[in-house]
Amino acid sequence: YLSLDVGEAADFSALADKVNQRPDTDAVVVYLSTAPKFFAPACEKLAAAGQNAPKVRIVLEKPLGTDLASCRKINEDVAAYFQENQIYRIDHYLGKESLQNLLALRFANVMFEPLWNNKYIESVQLTIAEQLGVEERGEFYDITGALRDMVQNHLMQMLCMTAMEVPASLDADAVRDEKVKVIKSLKPLTIESVNENVVRGQYTAAKGMNGYLQEINVPQDSFTETYVAIKAEIENDRWKGVPFYLHTGKRMAGKMAEIVLNFRPLQNHIFENSQAAPNRLVIELQPTESVRFYTQMKTPGAGNKVEIVPLATDLEKALEGRRAEAYERLLLDVINGKLALFNRRDELEAAWEYVMPILDNWASNT
């Protein structure tokens, strides 16, 4: 164990001495779980101490900026000392087995991929709901909000994994190339179109719990959103005309994260109520990991009514073996030099570019 001050160059020299005591080490992992303002000085001092050699891998914890400009500045500062293939921008949602399993569900099963398009899918819903409020994190959260905290990172990753084309392989850049294409295919928002496609809100006091404005270190006149919903559109051949609804919020009815694909209803009417409830595919990421396909089956007895019946698989029970926690899986990938589950620079900046009109709209209406 070695304690150091990020502002003291001598401390980094001591760190280098520790590392150099193990010259045969294949990889050195530096995890900067710090405020973003410390990324640049830490990288500069690491480089000055010789700790930016090719075997050094730098892990950056979010938030990576508060807007597109600050994100680019962080990327430029870190890139001055480390190559892109040394930089691991971590997003723990990509460490979730259920999200990774989405690629297998789509691309390893003949029945899903032919239906995964605008001919058969009417809409897609991506949701991350949290039951807790901001608790003791009011000071941090009030300068962050739901959009920065959840949308441009976690929900954007869920969107990419749901909508991407099949990559040429599972190599890091092949996967990340397809994710970037999704983000760049999103129909750009304008400051004006934000009003039609984005909703924000704050939780209020209920059932003996504080509202957001009553939380510790939250200003009484705060407009910071604790809930946001976005109607997004992907302008490519596969998804043209299919709305993607992104939702996230605190103090919701329950804690959950899921992806829901709503299929178009069949045009025949031979069953009495078959049009009332089209098929749905639900991929649950938390609190449990499951896949549920809602089908219509005939109700027993006389008549020709149908009911929705789920064909469900609990992934935790169906697939045996130890399941690593998200951060555990990602840190093991860092150690093993696997970049596929980490944000590439162009991917992160494209996500920020998409949400900037929302931030600009809100800044002019508060």
Side-chain angles (χ1 to χ4, degrees):
Y1 178 79
L2 178 68
S3 177
L4 62 81
D5 185 330
V6 74
E8 294 294 332
D11 287 1
F12 284 82
S13 296
L15 175 63
D17 290 341
K18 283 279 190 184
V19 172
N20 293 336
Q21 289 173 14
R22 302 176 65 182
D24 297 331
T25 299
D26 292 330
V28 177
V29 176
V30 180
Y31 188 169
L32 295 182
S33 183
T34 69
K37 66 181 180 181
F38 295 120
F39 290 167
C43 289
E44 179 184 13
K45 292 179 177 64
L46 284 166
Q51 295 306 302
N52 66 333
K55 71 176 182 179
V56 179
R57 296 160 190 169
I58 192 90
V59 184
L60 303 179
E61 179 65 78
K62 79 176 186 77
L64 278 91
T66 57
D67 54 20
L68 179 58
S70 58
C71 174
R72 283 177 173 162
K73 181 65 166 60
I74 289 171
N75 283 330
E76 289 167 1
D77 289 343
V78 177
Y81 306 103
F82 291 90
Q83 299 297 312
E84 180 63 28
N85 64 4
Q86 295 176 271
I87 303 170
Y88 293 72
R89 301 171 185 86
I90 198 165
D91 183 332
H92 75 273
Y93 260 69
L94 283 173
K96 292 182 178 293
E97 283 284 353
S98 48
L99 188 57
Q100 295 167 34
N101 196 56
L102 184 55
L103 296 188
L105 182 73
R106 290 185 57 189
F107 303 131
N109 295 288
V110 70
M111 72 284 288
F112 286 121
E113 183 57 17
L115 306 179
W116 214 273
N117 55 62
N118 53 11
K119 182 178 179 181
Y120 296 102
I121 295 175
E122 190 169 59
S123 66
V124 179
Q125 297 187 50
L126 310 170
T127 304
I128 302 176
E130 299 179 282
Q131 201 165 15
L132 295 175
V134 300
E135 307 306 305
E136 305 296 324
R137 300 169 66 237
E139 185 174 5
F140 161 78
Y141 196 88
D142 200 63
I143 60 174
T144 305
L147 186 74
R148 291 183 174 96
D149 193 40
M150 303 297 285
V151 175
Q152 64 83 30
N153 39 67
H154 303 330
L155 276 170
M156 193 63 70
Q157 292 301 322
M158 291 169 61
L159 172 68
C160 288
M161 298 289 272
T162 303
M164 65 188 282
E165 299 296 323
V166 58
S169 70
L170 292 178
D171 291 341
D173 281 333
V175 173
R176 297 190 295 181
D177 284 347
E178 296 304 330
K179 289 164 64 183
V180 171
K181 289 177 186 177
V182 172
I183 301 173
K184 291 189 174 181
S185 295
L186 285 168
K187 182 178 180 180
L189 293 167
T190 64
I191 292 181
E192 294 75 21
S193 69
V194 167
N195 294 330
E196 300 174 1
N197 295 286
V198 183
V199 174
R200 60 172 167 166
Q202 287 180 351
Y203 63 84
T204 57
K207 297 181 180 179
M209 295 181 290
N210 287 338
Y212 178 68
L213 298 181
Q214 288 79 54
E215 301 286 16
I216 299 171
N217 295 324
V218 172
Q220 294 296 299
D221 58 351
S222 174
F223 279 87
T224 297
E225 77 288 353
T226 64
Y227 173 86
V228 60
I230 300 172
K231 177 185 176 183
E233 298 177 59
I234 300 173
E235 296 187 306
N236 61 20
D237 290 343
R238 181 185 291 269
W239 295 113
K240 183 76 172 178
V242 177
F244 282 71
Y245 297 102
L246 285 63
H247 316 87
T248 186
K250 289 189 174 295
R251 197 77 81 194
M252 305 294 281
K255 177 182 175 67
M256 54 88 79
E258 68 178 19
I259 300 163
V260 180
L261 287 83
N262 297 301
F263 288 83
R264 297 186 185 280
L266 290 173
Q267 296 307 306
N268 68 66
H269 301 279
I270 62 173
F271 292 99
E272 295 177 27
N273 59 334
S274 62
Q275 303 302 303
N279 301 127
R280 286 184 298 133
L281 180 65
V282 179
I283 299 113
E284 187 176 4
L285 310 183
Q286 64 181 31
T288 61
E289 297 180 7
S290 67
V291 176
R292 302 188 302 277
F293 186 55
Y294 289 87
T295 62
Q296 299 193 78
M297 299 292 182
K298 180 183 174 299
T299 302
N304 290 301
K305 290 186 177 181
V306 292
E307 291 185 6
I308 288 293
V309 177
L311 304 179
T313 298
D314 184 327
L315 297 179
E316 295 178 1
K317 294 180 180 178
L319 302 172
E320 295 182 358
R322 181 180 178 277
R323 309 177 80 81
E325 293 292 328
Y327 273 105
E328 180 185 2
R329 166 65 196 277
L330 293 174
L331 291 174
L332 285 171
D333 277 7
V334 177
I335 292 169
N336 292 316
K338 297 179 179 179
L339 279 157
L341 299 179
F342 297 86
N343 282 310
R344 201 168 61 191
R345 176 175 178 171
D346 56 345
E347 179 184 352
L348 183 64
E349 291 182 4
W352 273 115
E353 188 171 3
Y354 176 74
V355 302
M356 281 309 301
I358 304 174
L359 293 172
D360 292 340
N361 177 290
W362 291 350
S364 63
N365 287 284
T366 57

